[in-house]
Amino acid sequence: MVQFRRRDFAFSPELGRTAWIDAAVVEWIDDGDRSRVGRVVFPEPLPVPTQLEIVGDDLLGLCRPTAAGLEVVAIDLDVAAGTGTIRSIADLATPQTALLPRLTGATTQLLAVVGFDDTTTVLR
């Protein structure tokens, strides 16, 4: 019997998509074709807490903690094939980060980063 430990769900009513993390796998499913689940496998389990966001029709984003701070990762989706490509956007050495919720209709998302000098930077 297979046990799923799905966590860190993300929803996009505009796209009709749900995504989640299950250990080292990011999966997604679309309302239009529930028979097919897309999946991207990372080389190691994603640490808790990892924040997952549906950025667009062909893009998922996540922020995962690292030993030095935070890594921002983009997953370029091939929705038709049910796969994707993982790429690192930034690896930040910082004590605090927050992935801000995407505003309705916005094409980008904001990441607030508080550095070791207590200076806050907002990345788009």
Side-chain angles (χ1 to χ4, degrees):
M1 179 176 180
V2 177
Q3 286 190 335
F4 295 99
R5 299 191 187 279
R6 294 177 175 161
R7 61 182 173 85
D8 301 308
F9 287 84
F11 304 95
S12 174
E14 297 88 7
L15 296 176
R17 179 170 294 155
T18 302
W20 60 86
I21 296 171
D22 186 359
V25 179
V26 173
E27 297 179 309
W28 72 92
I29 191 166
D30 292 335
D31 287 343
D33 187 358
R34 293 180 186 216
S35 65
R36 182 174 59 203
V37 175
R39 34 185 310 137
V40 176
V41 180
F42 282 77
E44 71 283 335
L46 293 165
V48 175
T50 295
Q51 292 179 281
L52 178 64
E53 182 68 30
I54 299 170
V55 180
D57 186 45
D58 60 352
L59 184 64
L60 298 177
L62 57 87
C63 294
R64 66 178 172 178
T66 63
L70 175 87
E71 181 182 21
V72 180
V73 177
I75 304 172
D76 298 300
L77 303 180
D78 182 343
V79 178
T83 62
T85 305
I86 302 165
R87 58 187 166 99
S88 181
I89 301 295
D91 201 349
L92 306 167
T94 179
Q96 294 180 321
T97 58
L99 184 62
L100 304 177
R102 192 166 53 121
L103 299 173
T104 303
T107 57
T108 59
Q109 191 166 359
L110 301 177
L111 174 69
V113 178
V114 180
F116 289 104
D117 59 357
D118 289 331
T119 301
T120 300
T121 305
V122 178
L123 305 172
R124 182 181 304 264

